[in-house]
Amino acid sequence: CGRPRSGPIAGKAICTIHFADGTAVAAGSGIVARGVWELDGDRVCRRDAAETPDLRRCVRYERLAGRRYRNSDDVEFCIGPCP
């Protein structure tokens, strides 16, 4: 879960769940979005389920302290349970 600093959901708490079958769900703050994900080298790429593959967005992740991480969009998040 994290709070994006920019874009249409900036400042809203959003949790993304990546399933083993390549689907994903992002939910929180009154938003529910279904999508698909895949790995591309050291990046995780996602897109809305209705979008074409050329519209995917890819990010890299770095581990911070404990269960905290940051992606290349500068969104910090934790892997639960989170404080």
Side-chain angles (χ1 to χ4, degrees), residues 1-82:
C1 298
R3 293 179 186 272
R5 294 181 185 171
S6 62
I9 56 173
K12 295 182 179 181
I14 301 293
C15 292
T16 304
I17 302 168
H18 296 87
F19 297 99
D21 67 357
T23 61
V25 174
S29 300
I31 297 167
V32 175
R34 299 188 187 283
V36 295
W37 70 276
E38 64 184 350
L39 296 176
D40 183 2
D42 65 347
R43 304 179 307 164
V44 175
C45 302
R46 290 185 293 258
R47 63 180 169 85
D48 187 270
E51 294 176 334
T52 58
D54 61 310
L55 294 176
R56 71 184 188 162
R57 288 201 79 268
C58 299
V59 294
R60 289 182 173 86
Y61 291 89
E62 68 175 302
R63 186 173 191 166
L64 303 174
R67 295 182 179 150
R68 301 206 57 81
Y69 294 81
R70 177 180 21 237
N71 70 23
S72 55
D73 282 341
D74 201 31
V75 176
E76 289 189 22
F77 61 96
C78 65
I79 295 179
C82 302

